[in-house]
Each structure stands twice: as C-alpha cells, then as structure tokens.
Amino acid sequence: MWFWLSLIALLCWSGSDLFSKIGCRDARDKYSHLKMVMAVGAVMGLHAIIMLALGTPFHPRDIITYMPASAMYILSMVLGYVGLRYIELSISSPICNSSGAVAALLCFLFLGQRMTGLQLFGVVLVCAGVLALAVIERKQDESVRLALRQASNVKYERSIIAILFPILYCLIDGLGTFADAVLIEGETPIIAEESANIAYELTFLAMAVFAFIYVVGIKKQKISIPREKEKLIAAVSETAGQFAYIYAIAANAVVAAPMISSYCVMSLVWARIILKEKLIK
C-alpha cells in the first residue's frame, strides 16, 4: 500500500509545485509567499475540520506532540515559496526534493532502519538522479537561460541567495521527514497518522490566520480570490498529497521518502510543457 500512497503523493505534489510556481513567480508581489501560506492553510484547515466532523480521533495536545515535524515542514514550504520568485521550477524542484536523501540518511544513522539490496539500489538511483538534475540544470548554458527570461519576461536571479532557498528547503524538509519517522512510524507510534495529519493542518491554518492578519490587516493588501486561483489549486494539490504522504511514511519511511521526493521529475515535465522552461536533454 505504501507504494500507491507514495505515487499519489508524488503526482499531487508535482501539481502543487507547478501551480505554486505560477502563483509566486511575480517578483513584484513581495507577499506572494504569505498569500500561498494563506491558501494552503485555508484548504488544510477545511480538510482538518471535515476529518474532525467525521469522528477522526484527535486531542489538542497532538498539535504540540507533532510540532517538531509541523514546524519543519511549514518553514521549508515558506522558504520554497519565496525562492520560486527568483528561480526556475526546473532548478528549484530537484534541489528541494533531494530532501528524501537527507531523511533516508537520518533514518539510517539514528533510527537503525535498514534496506534490502534492491531498496538501497532504488534509493541511490533516485537520489543520484535528483541531484544530477540539479547540477546539470545549474550549469545549463547561459544563452538558453537568457532566451527563457526574454520569452517569459521574468527576471531570474543567479546568486547564492537565490539558490540558497531551495537548499534550505531540502535540509529543513529532510529534518521534517525524519521527525515524522520518529513520531508516527513503528509498532507503538508516538502519534497516530490521522492525528498527526490533523495537527499539521491545524498548525498550517493558524499560520494562515497570522499571514492574513499581517498582509491584509497590517500591510493593507487586497486579496482577490479569482486572481489567486492558482494558489488555491496548489493548496488543494498540496493537501491531497499530504494526506497520502502521511500514511506512506508511516508504512515505510526509509523507502517512501526518497520515492516521493522524485516528484520533481514530474515537476520538470510540467515546467517544460506548461511553463515553457527550456530543458537540455
């Protein structure tokens, strides 16, 4: 079952990548990342309320119990949304999603989790492919990048700061996945998968409220739902992917994490087809 759940998360999160990029690529909107937090938090909060109404077991202290993972995931996503203003999806996504390698390494070193030879080969293959894509894209000929910028009329940065955002996402998200493995995996998990998912979604809802207060209440920015439809689509995709992910990690974290991280391959496909980002062979 973990395989199919991982596949669903992979497809949903690649869609979230695409629409997050569309929603955040306007570098003139310095609040786009907070608007993404508002959209994702609202959709996740609605899903959490539905789950609670259906009788899913949950206690408010679960929010505190799951906070180490929630904090890492939310922080990494916010940094990822900021980075999408300044860097192509075809570069950002492979770097971000090397986090599966970080998580697998931490699970191996600190939790004593082991893999069969075939599983190890698969993990190495996925991680090596993801890292290789990031390196190759980073070294892509500058003339191709210039053509892309002119075609899309978008200014992309080529600085340490621009690359730093997806790198930080990778490291912090990997820590979040490791925290997940500690909290929800095994015969006697610290917190159940359903409770963990609701705790995460309610935490994100709280962040959305804070973002709304800051953007609309303090900075007096106007929010138009039709103009933010891409962010809402990204939020729905993110929530669906998270729902599948939490159960996949609980079933087999050390293998599921790298597999799910390979959703950047689909993100590259969407970047080429829909965003018209130029990719070398």
Side-chain angles (χ1 to χ4, degrees):
M1 181 59 70
W2 67 266
F3 174 82
W4 296 109
L5 290 169
S6 298
L7 186 61
I8 292 171
L10 183 154
L11 293 174
C12 288
W13 277 350
S14 67
S16 178
D17 253 6
L18 170 65
F19 287 102
S20 294
K21 173 60 180 176
I22 296 174
C24 294
R25 62 181 171 180
D26 186 358
R28 296 169 298 180
D29 185 2
K30 60 182 180 180
Y31 302 109
S32 61
H33 61 295
L34 295 179
K35 292 176 182 177
M36 272 301 310
V37 171
M38 291 160 56
V40 174
V43 174
M44 286 193 173
L46 177 61
H47 180 259
I49 292 170
I50 292 174
M51 295 297 290
L52 289 171
L54 294 175
T56 304
F58 180 77
H59 192 281
R61 66 171 175 268
D62 292 333
I63 295 176
I64 303 300
T65 302
Y66 196 65
M67 186 59 69
S70 295
M72 293 298 100
Y73 286 139
I74 294 173
L75 177 59
S76 66
M77 289 175 67
V78 172
L79 292 171
Y81 295 146
V82 175
L84 287 175
R85 291 207 297 261
Y86 307 110
I87 194 169
E88 296 99 321
L89 179 61
S90 56
I91 295 178
S92 174
S93 189
I95 297 174
C96 287
N97 295 296
S98 301
S99 61
V102 176
L105 180 61
L106 291 174
C107 289
F108 181 83
L109 293 177
F110 296 104
L111 300 183
Q113 295 188 2
R114 295 295 180 265
M115 292 173 272
T116 66
L118 184 59
Q119 289 174 332
L120 178 60
F121 174 76
V123 169
V124 171
L125 190 63
V126 168
C127 295
V130 168
L131 293 172
L133 281 172
V135 172
I136 292 171
E137 287 299 316
R138 182 66 183 91
K139 293 182 177 179
Q140 184 180 357
D141 185 81
E142 184 61 27
S143 62
V144 178
R145 297 197 184 285
L146 180 60
L148 171 63
R149 295 172 207 167
Q150 292 174 341
S152 61
N153 196 29
V154 173
K155 180 182 178 181
Y156 289 114
E157 301 290 338
R158 278 296 163 267
S159 65
I160 295 297
I161 294 178
I163 296 296
L164 184 62
F165 285 110
I167 291 175
L168 287 174
Y169 178 105
C170 168
L171 297 175
I172 297 172
D173 188 70
L175 287 172
T177 304
F178 173 70
D180 254 342
V182 173
L183 292 170
I184 68 175
E185 192 177 3
E187 297 180 358
T188 56
I190 298 174
I191 183 173
E193 297 99 317
E194 299 91 343
S195 300
N197 195 50
I198 292 176
Y200 172 67
E201 291 179 335
L202 291 179
T203 304
F204 222 128
L205 175 60
M207 292 300 300
V209 172
F210 291 137
F212 181 84
I213 293 173
Y214 179 76
V215 174
V216 178
I218 299 177
K219 294 299 182 179
K220 308 300 181 182
Q221 299 294 307
K222 294 182 178 180
I223 301 296
S224 172
I225 293 179
R227 290 178 58 186
E228 309 296 346
K229 60 182 181 297
E230 291 87 0
K231 294 183 178 68
L232 290 173
I233 296 173
V236 171
S237 300
E238 180 68 32
T239 303
Q242 173 65 23
F243 184 75
Y245 159 84
I246 202 80
Y247 292 99
I249 290 295
N252 196 344
V254 73
V255 180
M259 176 180 173
I260 295 172
S261 292
S262 69
Y263 74 80
C264 66
V265 176
M266 286 305 302
S267 297
L268 288 172
V269 174
W270 305 141
R272 178 65 186 96
I273 296 175
I274 298 176
L275 301 179
K276 307 303 181 183
E277 294 184 5
K278 303 299 182 181
L279 303 177
I280 60 177
K281 290 182 180 180

